[in-house]
Amino acid sequence: MSGFDDMGAEIFRQEASELLQSIEKGLMDLEATPGDTELINSIFRSMHTIKGSGAMFGFTELSQFVHEFETAFDDLRNGRAVVSKELIGLSLQACDQIGKLMDAAENTESDNQRILASLRQLMNPDVDHAEPDVPTEAVADPVEQPEQTLSGDVTTVIRFWLGVDALRLGSNPALLIEELRAFGDTKVRALDDRIPTLGDLDPTDCLAGWEVEVAANLSDDDIDMVFLFVRDEMDLTVERRGAKPAAIDVVAPVHEAKTPVVEQPAAKPAPAKPQAAAAPSAGETMRVATERLDELMDRVGELVIAEARLNALTGASSDPAMMSVAEDIQRLIAGLRDATMSMRMVPIGSILGRFRRLMRDLSTSLNKPLEFVTVGEDTELDKTVIELLADPLVHILRNSVDHGLETPEERLASGKPESGTIELGARYSGAEVLITVRDDGRGLNAQKIREKAISKGLMTEKDDLSDSEIYRMIFQPGFSTVDKVTELSGRGVGMDVVMRTIASLRGEIDLASELGQGTTLTLRLPLTLAIIDGMLIDVGGERYTIPLAAVEECVELPAVHAVGNGGSSYLNIRGELVPFLRLRHLFEIDSAPPDFQKVVVVSSAGGRVGLVVDRIIGNFQTVIKQLSQFHADLKFFSGATILSDGTVALILDATQLVALGRDVELRARREVAA
């Protein structure tokens, strides 16, 4: 396969993957609303698009399979079949098979025939399906002919001119004509009235037109399906002969500004020169490689650092002209930064479709009827966060169904509806996004978790922990309260993976549960991983950055705590005891501290802790630079940033520091209890 063909095949795989997700979503929606004809038509159009693109780029087996798939689905469009759970299940299996065919998987023929035979048997149970009816020219046959197109009294005459770039973009007029042949006897005539003289001719332009006379009364939907890929860039007229009265239909393109409608001419027009491409409309999109977006974000980050250095130089200067230029640059960089970050933002709904399929399969395999509800699908997150979030959510949802929801018998016995409910929601909260998974199942049993934690040596019988602290034991590596290991759970790996992944995203996990009522797990995630607001602090002459989203407040360190042994002590902040850590001791700084130290109170899912610092410098835009593999084992630091004077400041990991404060507090409790 040539480089151009390889590129075309890769583009097809990307677009087909998106269409498959659309089909799966449509199937799940159709199962809930079986009478929605618009959903059926939308699914059918997506199938047809995959089939046509597959044939164009050489995926013949895939195209043939999808042809049979859409033929079965066409019975739904024409009212010859009804939506059922079995049909949705088989259709989802067909989607999985299309994915395998896209990846050129081997030994797929038997699975193809098994799925298609099951579909045919389901749609037409009274017909013998021992010999699969696969047409020889399956790729050329777009749809089964609807009843309204079988009239021999009406002839449809279609005249079309493709866009000038059609051949360069891979369109094949012969395939379009072959699809029209499937509707009936056909006569084809080339139209050369738009071909210019030889001196003006570009051999790569598509300038010829075609007149196709079909002995059938084709509907507008039939024609739309044939020209689905090229409709935006073509001129198309339709004439129906033999109808009473005779009618000529002008089928308007979607973008009229691009492709003006050509009425059927009375005489040949003068040769037309290729039209210049119109400017893209506001709603159009284009594909950009992820690497290019990452590179652009890196460049913007460098600009933010350079801007900070310029501001520092400007502050030391009294030149009004320099200050004016610095302000303009600051405004332009802020706009560029916001625009670049917005390009990286992706709605969380882009990954919710796969979870609906997962929940349906889990419900069937575990025999636990459930309703899966999604809220806030338009909430946007950085694309990197979205990509890394998929696996943790799979673990959480599996646990919700396997451990959280009771069996139908148990639910009925406890007075609950037979069908459980699991809700996956997302919403903004300041500079964070909260992703919540909530179920109405049995809830967490604090006593059972406590006993398991004691048996594993994670705590002692003397430890007096709150229920919320006990619940967090489920995130410990290898921890599980399940006695029997199943295919879905029981090895204590899933929630450990969740904790480590969310921590790597600088996120936090909140967990709440009520025995017999259900469990709510909340992921707190930053909007972006590239640029954040940070608080710059000084400890022992070195500067560090704390993510501003983790900072609750700043207070003066009381004189009674000015000197200490470096361990954790407590501050009374509005009647609540808050442990604090001395960063000087943590970072092994021997010099004498200043007379007046500050305490920065930071919080995470595990609680909150005060960090004793020498000085608070201020708030700044912080460009995050990842630490190298040589520094992967460093605790308490999540990255680094470059300051306005070119020096490097490490970024403190609030989650790790809060966990350290909690551990010190637990050790102190144990010493007191002993």
Side-chain angles (χ1 to χ4, degrees), residues 187-206:
K187 296 179 181 179
V188 181
R189 181 171 69 89
L191 304 175
D192 59 1
D193 49 304
R194 298 191 180 188
I195 300 178
T197 58
L198 188 60
D200 298 328
L201 182 65
D202 183 341
T204 64
D205 288 343
C206 182

Side-chain angles (χ1 to χ4, degrees), residues 474-478 492-501:
I474 67 174
F475 296 110
Q476 294 293 327
V493 177
M495 300 309 288
D496 175 36
V497 170
V498 171
M499 175 59 80
R500 285 189 284 109
T501 303

Side-chain angles (χ1 to χ4, degrees), residues 12 19 23 40-56 62-63 66-67 69-71 73-74 77 98 138-144 175-176 179-180 182-183 221-230:
F12 163 71
L19 288 169
I23 291 174
I40 295 174
N41 290 331
S42 175
I43 294 169
F44 190 87
R45 286 193 294 269
S46 296
M47 292 180 192
H48 193 78
T49 303
I50 293 176
K51 184 190 78 171
S53 295
M56 183 182 300
L62 179 148
S63 186
V66 178
H67 168 75
F69 184 14
E70 71 173 359
T71 297
F73 225 80
D74 191 44
R77 298 175 72 210
I98 293 172
V139 175
D141 186 4
V143 294
E144 292 295 326
L175 291 177
L176 301 174
E179 291 202 30
L180 291 172
F183 290 100
D221 286 342
D222 296 330
I223 297 171
D224 285 342
M225 284 292 101
V226 173
F227 296 102
L228 189 64
F229 299 112
V230 293

Side-chain angles (χ1 to χ4, degrees), residues 82-346:
V82 295
V83 177
S84 65
K85 184 175 181 179
E86 292 76 12
L87 173 62
I88 298 297
L90 279 172
S91 298
L92 291 172
Q93 289 183 37
C95 288
D96 294 340
Q97 190 67 9
I98 293 172
K100 294 178 183 178
L101 293 170
M102 267 193 326
D103 296 333
E106 298 180 357
N107 303 320
T108 56
E109 181 61 28
S110 60
D111 288 336
N112 292 352
Q113 296 304 327
R114 175 183 57 79
I115 294 172
L116 293 177
S118 299
L119 274 173
R120 284 189 288 265
Q121 181 64 36
L122 184 63
M123 293 304 208
N124 302 285
D126 298 330
V127 178
D128 182 11
H129 298 281
E131 293 294 331
D133 182 19
V134 180
T136 305
E137 299 294 334
V139 175
D141 186 4
V143 294
E144 292 295 326
Q145 298 181 24
E147 294 180 0
Q148 64 268 27
T149 65
L150 300 180
S151 170
D153 299 332
V154 178
T155 298
T156 304
V157 181
I158 300 169
R159 300 178 183 86
F160 67 92
W161 292 262
L162 298 179
V164 173
D165 293 330
L167 299 179
R168 288 190 287 269
L169 295 175
S171 297
N172 188 342
L175 291 177
L176 301 174
I177 294 171
E178 284 302 313
E179 291 202 30
L180 291 172
R181 289 186 190 278
F183 290 100
D185 294 336
T186 304
K187 296 179 181 179
V188 181
R189 181 171 69 89
L191 304 175
D192 59 1
D193 49 304
R194 298 191 180 188
I195 300 178
T197 58
L198 188 60
D200 298 328
L201 182 65
D202 183 341
T204 64
D205 288 343
C206 182
L207 300 172
W210 287 268
E211 179 183 87
V212 183
E213 188 175 315
V214 185
N217 184 13
L218 272 63
S219 68
D220 290 343
D221 286 342
D222 296 330
I223 297 171
D224 285 342
M225 284 292 101
V226 173
F227 296 102
L228 189 64
F229 299 112
V230 293
R231 183 67 180 277
D232 291 353
E233 303 291 344
M234 69 181 296
D235 294 339
L236 175 67
T237 64
V238 180
E239 176 186 358
R240 293 182 176 86
R241 298 172 181 168
K244 301 297 182 180
I248 298 177
D249 296 338
V250 179
V251 181
V254 174
H255 300 292
E256 295 184 2
K258 281 187 176 181
T259 54
V261 175
V262 179
E263 301 286 350
Q264 186 180 357
K268 280 189 178 183
K273 292 192 176 182
Q275 298 177 352
S281 64
E284 289 190 354
T285 60
M286 65 179 296
R287 291 182 181 274
V288 178
T290 300
E291 294 79 8
R292 293 188 179 183
L293 283 179
D294 293 339
E295 183 179 356
L296 177 60
M297 194 71 245
D298 288 341
R299 296 291 182 268
V300 171
E302 297 298 329
L303 272 177
V304 171
I305 294 171
E307 174 216 340
R309 298 184 66 182
L310 177 61
N311 288 339
L313 293 173
T314 304
S317 170
S318 57
D319 186 350
M322 185 175 179
M323 294 177 65
S324 176
V325 172
E327 289 175 358
D328 289 341
I329 292 177
Q330 184 178 12
R331 174 177 52 82
L332 292 172
I333 290 178
L336 179 61
R337 180 197 65 222
D338 293 341
T340 304
M341 291 175 65
S342 69
M343 283 191 290
R344 293 171 57 94
M345 304 302 280
V346 179

Side-chain angles (χ1 to χ4, degrees), residues 363-434:
S363 174
T364 302
S365 62
L366 296 175
N367 193 26
K368 291 183 178 181
L370 63 89
E371 180 183 4
F372 183 51
V373 181
T374 58
V375 180
E377 296 187 16
D378 295 334
T379 306
E380 292 184 332
L381 269 170
D382 186 281
K383 69 170 188 64
T384 304
V385 178
I386 288 285
E387 291 168 357
L388 296 176
L389 193 59
D391 285 345
L393 283 177
V394 167
H395 287 299
I396 294 170
L397 290 170
R398 278 178 173 171
N399 273 3
S400 295
V401 180
D402 196 18
H403 299 316
L405 294 185
E406 309 95 331
T407 64
E409 296 76 17
E410 290 172 337
R411 292 183 64 87
L412 290 175
S414 61
K416 294 182 179 180
E418 181 180 20
S419 178
T421 300
I422 294 180
E423 179 184 295
L424 174 59
R427 64 183 176 88
Y428 295 109
S429 177
E432 297 179 318
V433 169
L434 305 185

